[in-house]
Amino acid sequence: MTDATAHVRAELRDDVPLVATETPRLTWQVADAPGGWRQRSVDLTDGVDTVTLDTSDSVLVAWPFAPLAAGERRDVAVRVHSTAGESTRWSAPTPVTAAFLAEGEWVAEPVGLASPSRDAQPFEVRTRFALGDDVARAELLWTALGVAEPRVNGVAVSDDVLAPGWTAYRDRLVHETVDVTELVHPGENELAAAVAGAWYTEKYGFFTFTDRLYGTQPSFLAQVRITAVDGTVRTVAATDASWEAAGDGPVVDSGIYAGEHQDLRRTAAAWTPVRVGAAAKAGYESVPVPEARIAPPVRRVQTLPVADVIASPSGGRILDFGQNLVGRLRIRAGGERGTRLVVRHAEVLENGELGIRPLRNAAATATFDLSGDDEVLESRFSFYGFRYAEITGVDVSPDDVEAVVLHTDMRRTGWFDSSHAELDRLHENVVWGMRGNFLSIPTDCPQRDERLGWTGDIQVFAPTASYLYDCDGFLTSWLRDLAHEQARTVDGSVPLVVPAALPGFGSGGPTAAWGDAATVVPTVMHERFGDVGVVQAQYASMRTWVEAVLADTDGSGLWTGRMQLGDWLDPSAPPDDPGAAKVSDDVVASAYLARSLRLTADAAELLGHDEDARRYGDLAERSRTAFAAEFVTPAGRMMNDAPTAYALALGFDLVADPPVRAALAARLADVVREGGYRIGTGFVGTPLVADALTEAGHLEVAERLLLQTECPSWLYPVTMGATTVWERWDSMLPDGTINPGEMTSFNHYALGAVADWLHRSVAGLAPAAPGYRRLRIAPRPLPALEHASTRHLTPYGDAAVAWRREGDEVVVTAVVPANTVAEVDLGDGDVHEVGSGTHTWRTAAAKPRQHPPLPGLDAMLADVIDDPRAYRALLDTLAEHAPERADAVRTGTVWGSRRALSTALMFTPPPVLAEVDAAIRAATA
């Protein structure tokens, strides 16, 4: 016996004991184990049977017991034996409850208002049912075409928000399973719910071309499963014609984009028989039998107080919560009956007022008509993206207002820290951006009239997301919707948004980088969570996607000549044309074709589909060869001399020849330098560029790019006070005005995908085998940092890497979880393996780069930009003596290695040239 302890969980959720399958996979972790702990075997019990497995596997292990029946509960415990002959104690029992429906059990029908007075009208619904004294357990099974808050005998059944969330309504509904045994009693009981349309009745589209897609009215579906003391099971209170509904409750109107209007003077009174059947639009009449929830629901996860009160130029009072967030306000207020309190929301201020232009058609307004009593006001069926809010109509103390943060209630699993305050703020911005946009589905933004599941955004962000939060269940759920929506396209394409709320948008065929979410996201989930099941479930979708792309090509191995979104939001693109990138769409599309073919081949090999593995492997190699032949010169230059082109070629391993790869990486470093170490990539290139530089030995170039604060850069928004990642590199311009482009969000996680590089390279923790069964510890200390660290809750347990400078050495400390090993590469040529436990190494620090004195105007521009002293002296001198030239030189200069500084200062007055020459010489002497 050892002091080591074990903990077990079933399937993909920690927040509740519910599982959505009769054979939930089991994962267990061993804590406080002696160093080098490796599992030899494991004993498992479900309270009925006990089995021993001679396996080293401990993540998502197949259920070894008899399948669960619907509603069945068992307690699972584990005892683990090591290769050294040590054993843990039996773990505390983990309850496992089957949340799914029995075959043929679902009888609930959609019900709603029979005679609504307007589209998307919220309503309340109720029924009564009698119970005897033989009830052992009562479970409420419910869903909605829309969202709902059920109550049993006047008590809310859960703290879930906006449940059951948004799915591909034609093909997939999610039902909630709630134990309500403590809420029912012998005799008459009441089951009721407040219902609103939310995503189901929202109008989707752009500009004035919007319409409801799914339905005109929300519906509620529910039934109660009663298990008697003798074990018999029956269904009561199923939604049908016996229910009644009322449309005069306190929620007057509610919409995802519009916000919500509540009249607290109202109580539902006009009860009438319900409508039976969905109020669906043509083509969406299908109401599938719901499946049990596999991802955590949306919940209230945090509250924030008012951080500041700002007087606006118009005389208003704006509340600043100090953080751009997603949620709503909770207000304690009282006032004369009928007084109207209105809340408007905004992410930023412009000219001292709420910056609401980026919201476009989204009113994003919460309205409350007071009852005359003291109230606690909070929207119920809508949410808002905001840092700032303005309350009018009632004088409310800031102490009586708080912001309620909403997101899918995932477990936090990843952290990063460093000696650089702005870098840490960037990482925190990435975390907050993910929180706000992982709300039921992975969205692009949480505030304007969009909030859609854009596939390209999550395709690039999935590695970062899977480190920061345990989002395995969340993304597994969303991928099911992707497969459903893909199956409805005529050619196997993946819609640009999932759920497919824009059926007429982007329907011209497959779109590179967006549709590739079908192959990339399952691959990432296998890599990060060790989840083979999601690859198996999505394999048909992966295969269908690459076949759709192959059918869209000319058979050459390239994907060219088609309209693409490309390297979306390249900073050089004009505000009104975000797709006008420096890199060719053909380069992007062909690179992604090769990558998705390779990922599909790897998936086929993993699953044992040998013929597919050979076919797609051959096609991937053909595309890789064609890409290199078409877009890469023998000397190692891209035909598109743009950073994203180089990053794709290197990051996707599309060039195999080492000398050519080295030349490509060197040219990428030159391109980044020539651009003044400012970002030159959009959605596609941004997640790849730092890795491409680092892996080729250009760490200092990656560092300069990362720590740049001029616009465009990762840290520019931080210098402007950003607390989330922006959609555009310049969503707010340096003068404090909002980017003039029609499409501007201040909460968009895609460009924050660089955080994955911070975790893997800067701090140095990465998976070297699926699920972190084997870790890679390979920090690459940036010269500008004194220390950096990261921690990640892997499926095997807590892992961490930290490094700090001590004199001429770098001290690296790592924690390796039990039942794993780690390969260690500290960049000193000694690559070795260690077992679990805590380890410390010392290695010589890289010598700081020495900058020679520069010959003033004769200095090469690359030498000037590479020496922060010279660069600062140049800009400061121009700002003092020729301010009209400073910005033009900063942004318009190509900082090349064969161009003298004087060439960037043509037509500059001689006295200013003399000042610059002297300043450069003095600064670098």
Side-chain angles (χ1 to χ4, degrees):
M1 191 69 67
T2 175
D3 291 334
T5 58
H7 168 73
V8 63
R9 87 165 183 177
E11 270 303 312
L12 306 179
R13 293 179 66 180
D14 293 292
D15 58 318
V16 291
L18 304 175
V19 295
T21 172
E22 63 181 10
T23 54
R25 297 166 295 174
L26 300 176
T27 298
W28 53 90
Q29 298 175 354
V30 175
D32 301 320
W37 174 281
R38 296 301 299 271
Q39 178 181 303
R40 172 179 54 83
S41 62
V42 60
D43 301 326
L44 290 157
T45 181
D46 65 350
V48 179
D49 298 312
T50 299
V51 299
T52 298
L53 304 178
D54 293 322
T55 179
S56 61
D57 295 340
S58 59
V59 171
L60 295 172
V61 174
W63 179 255
F65 309 114
L68 295 165
E72 185 180 3
R73 293 180 176 180
R74 296 188 206 164
D75 290 327
V76 176
V78 61
R79 179 173 60 190
V80 187
H81 310 290
S82 78
T83 54
E86 298 172 309
S87 301
T88 69
R89 296 178 177 85
W90 279 102
S91 69
T94 295
V96 178
T97 301
F100 52 86
L101 294 159
E103 186 70 28
E105 181 181 8
W106 186 251
V107 295
E109 299 179 272
V111 299
L113 280 176
S115 301
S117 61
R118 57 196 178 279
D119 280 355
Q121 184 175 349
F123 66 89
E124 301 210 10
V125 65
R126 70 184 183 186
T127 193
R128 293 179 176 86
F129 59 99
L131 295 176
D133 58 4
D134 64 338
V135 175
R137 185 151 52 113
E139 296 166 284
L140 173 62
L141 308 166
W142 74 271
T143 188
L145 299 171
V147 295
E149 292 178 350
R151 306 181 303 276
V152 171
N153 293 323
V155 179
V157 302
S158 75
D159 59 359
D160 300 352
V161 178
L162 295 165
W166 189 8
T167 55
Y169 290 119
R170 287 178 292 186
D171 300 294
R172 182 169 175 260
L173 282 176
V174 167
H175 73 74
E176 309 292 351
T177 304
V178 188
D179 190 325
V180 294
T181 308
E182 298 300 316
L183 302 182
V184 300
H185 50 71
E188 187 176 72
N189 295 266
E190 182 183 78
L191 171 58
V195 186
W199 295 284
Y200 185 75
T201 57
E202 190 53 76
K203 291 183 175 181
Y204 299 105
F206 296 109
F207 310 110
T208 60
F209 305 103
T210 64
D211 199 3
R212 303 190 200 282
L213 176 67
Y214 302 113
T216 57
Q217 298 292 339
S219 299
F220 182 67
L221 304 88
Q223 59 191 55
V224 178
R225 177 196 290 150
I226 300 295
T227 303
V229 292
D230 65 1
T232 58
V233 178
R234 67 185 189 275
T235 295
V236 302
T239 46
D240 60 15
S242 68
W243 283 58
E244 55 184 358
D248 59 345
V251 181
V252 180
D253 285 299
S254 184
I256 296 295
Y257 301 153
E260 188 166 290
H261 175 201
Q262 296 180 20
D263 187 340
L264 284 308
R265 298 168 298 181
R266 300 187 357 165
T267 301
W271 295 99
T272 60
V274 293
R275 159 189 42 88
V276 177
K281 300 272 284 187
Y284 293 86
E285 298 91 347
S286 170
V287 180
V289 173
E291 64 179 53
R293 171 177 290 282
I294 57 176
V298 177
R299 293 193 177 105
R300 300 171 179 88
V301 295
Q302 185 179 351
T303 59
L304 294 178
V306 174
D308 194 13
V309 180
I310 301 167
S312 70
S314 64
R317 187 178 65 167
I318 296 173
L319 306 180
D320 176 7
F321 292 90
Q323 173 63 53
N324 195 19
L325 60 95
V326 176
R328 55 252 192 142
L329 294 193
R330 181 181 294 150
I331 305 166
R332 293 173 291 277
E336 185 177 344
R337 182 177 176 83
T339 301
R340 175 163 290 184
L341 182 152
V342 177
V343 186
R344 298 163 61 230
H345 307 80
E347 294 186 301
V348 295
L349 301 181
E350 186 175 33
N351 300 320
E353 304 285 354
L354 295 180
I356 60 173
R357 178 175 61 82
L359 299 178
R360 300 190 305 210
N361 292 327
T365 300
T367 303
F368 303 92
D369 298 329
L370 304 185
S371 68
D373 298 325
D374 289 340
E375 313 275 7
V376 177
L377 311 176
E378 181 182 337
S379 294
R380 296 169 65 179
F381 302 118
S382 190
F383 61 92
Y384 313 90
F386 67 100
R387 171 176 172 170
Y388 302 94
E390 185 175 30
I391 300 174
T392 57
V394 176
D395 187 13
V396 178
S397 168
D399 294 337
D400 290 327
V401 183
E402 58 187 350
V404 179
V405 179
L406 302 178
H407 62 76
T408 293
D409 193 10
M410 304 166 293
R411 177 173 58 109
R412 179 78 184 269
T413 56
W415 296 265
F416 173 85
D417 178 71
S418 77
S419 58
H420 196 290
E422 290 176 332
L423 183 59
D424 288 356
R425 182 65 248 187
L426 169 65
H427 190 270
E428 191 68 5
N429 290 0
V430 175
V431 173
W432 276 95
M434 176 180 173
R435 296 176 76 185
N437 282 295
F438 273 50
L439 193 153
S440 183
I441 65 165
T443 59
D444 60 328
C445 63
Q447 74 297 94
R448 68 182 180 223
D449 57 345
E450 200 162 342
R451 315 186 200 189
L452 303 174
W454 285 92
T455 49
D457 298 55
I458 190 59
Q459 184 267 131
V460 299
F461 192 72
T464 298
S466 60
Y467 191 93
L468 296 175
Y469 281 89
D470 180 1
C471 54
D472 193 2
F474 177 89
L475 291 177
T476 296
S477 177
W478 179 77
L479 283 170
R480 290 187 182 184
D481 290 321
L482 182 149
H484 283 305
E485 301 287 29
Q486 179 187 19
R488 287 186 173 270
T489 62
V490 296
D491 58 357
S493 294
V494 174
L496 291 174
V497 298
V498 172
L502 302 174
F505 184 78
S507 56
T511 303
W514 274 251
D516 292 283
T519 59
V520 172
V521 177
T523 300
V524 170
M525 294 169 68
H526 175 240
E527 175 188 81
R528 302 306 176 93
F529 300 117
D531 193 343
V532 177
V534 71
V535 178
Q536 189 169 27
Q538 295 301 128
Y539 179 70
S541 167
M542 299 173 75
R543 192 176 183 278
T544 299
W545 165 250
V546 294
E547 292 292 347
V549 176
L550 289 169
D552 198 48
T553 69
D554 61 5
S556 66
L558 300 175
W559 187 10
T560 59
R562 304 292 283 178
M563 184 272 174
Q564 302 282 355
L565 297 180
D567 196 24
W568 191 252
L569 287 170
D570 177 320
S572 66
D576 59 350
D577 190 5
K582 293 184 289 294
V583 65
S584 162
D585 288 352
D586 291 349
V587 170
V588 172
S590 296
Y592 266 96
L593 170 59
R595 187 187 190 205
S596 275
L597 285 167
R598 171 49 53 199
L599 297 182
T600 304
D602 292 345
E605 182 177 4
L606 175 69
L607 300 175
H609 303 316
D610 296 340
E611 185 176 339
D612 278 2
R614 285 190 294 272
R615 177 170 182 264
Y616 292 123
D618 290 344
L619 288 169
E621 179 59 22
R622 183 188 70 171
S623 285
R624 187 199 66 76
T625 302
F627 181 95
E630 183 75 10
F631 301 119
V632 184
T633 72
R637 290 284 288 259
M638 296 298 298
M639 298 300 291
N640 264 153
D641 196 33
T644 291
Y646 291 96
L648 285 167
L650 294 165
F652 288 0
D653 290 325
L654 301 178
V655 175
D657 182 70
V660 177
R661 286 184 65 86
L664 289 170
R667 179 55 191 158
L668 172 60
D670 287 344
V671 170
V672 170
R673 180 185 297 107
E674 289 171 1
Y677 295 107
R678 290 182 294 275
I679 280 288
T681 53
F683 268 37
V684 168
T686 295
L688 302 171
V689 63
D691 269 309
L693 290 165
T694 303
E695 291 174 9
H698 299 285
L699 183 64
E700 288 193 12
V701 177
E703 178 195 64
R704 286 289 302 274
L705 188 65
L706 173 70
L707 300 183
Q708 173 67 268
T709 58
E710 296 177 7
C711 183
S713 67
W714 279 296
L715 294 188
Y716 164 72
V718 174
T719 69
M720 296 294 289
T723 59
T724 44
V725 174
W726 294 350
E727 178 177 23
R728 297 176 181 266
W729 297 108
D730 60 348
S731 286
M732 178 169 283
L733 304 181
D735 64 3
T737 60
I738 296 171
N739 187 292
E742 173 271 334
M743 180 190 73
T744 301
S745 159
F746 293 89
N747 194 347
H748 241 78
Y749 55 63
L751 298 179
V754 68
D756 190 54
W757 176 72
L758 297 180
H759 306 144
R760 290 183 292 100
S761 294
V762 176
L765 177 59
Y772 293 84
R773 184 164 192 162
R774 182 179 181 89
L775 283 67
R776 176 171 169 79
I777 297 169
R780 295 296 180 260
L782 300 183
L785 301 187
E786 289 299 313
H787 63 79
S789 64
T790 190
R791 173 173 167 248
H792 180 54
L793 302 182
T794 77
Y796 292 88
D798 202 349
V801 178
W803 61 264
R804 67 185 186 277
R805 298 186 185 277
E806 286 189 4
D808 294 334
E809 291 184 316
V810 174
V811 180
V812 180
T813 301
V815 177
V816 180
N819 206 29
T820 70
V821 295
E823 61 181 51
V824 182
D825 178 0
L826 303 182
D828 56 4
D830 178 22
V831 179
H832 60 282
E833 181 179 290
V834 298
S836 64
T838 300
H839 306 272
T840 300
W841 305 274
R842 289 179 176 269
T843 186
K847 296 187 183 303
R849 180 179 179 182
Q850 300 298 316
H851 296 283
L854 295 182
L857 293 173
D858 293 328
M860 294 298 105
L861 284 165
D863 294 331
V864 173
I865 194 72
D866 280 349
D867 189 333
R869 303 168 303 169
Y871 183 62
R872 189 74 267 152
L874 169 64
L875 294 186
D876 287 348
T877 303
L878 289 176
E880 179 181 356
H881 298 284
E884 72 285 353
R885 296 280 294 142
D887 196 54
V889 169
R890 181 182 64 83
T891 60
T893 298
V894 176
W895 303 88
S897 60
R898 295 173 56 83
R899 302 181 185 209
L901 172 59
S902 58
T903 65
L905 298 174
M906 295 176 64
F907 310 113
T908 300
V912 177
L913 292 174
E915 293 286 349
V916 169
D917 185 84
I920 297 289
R921 294 176 185 274
T924 62

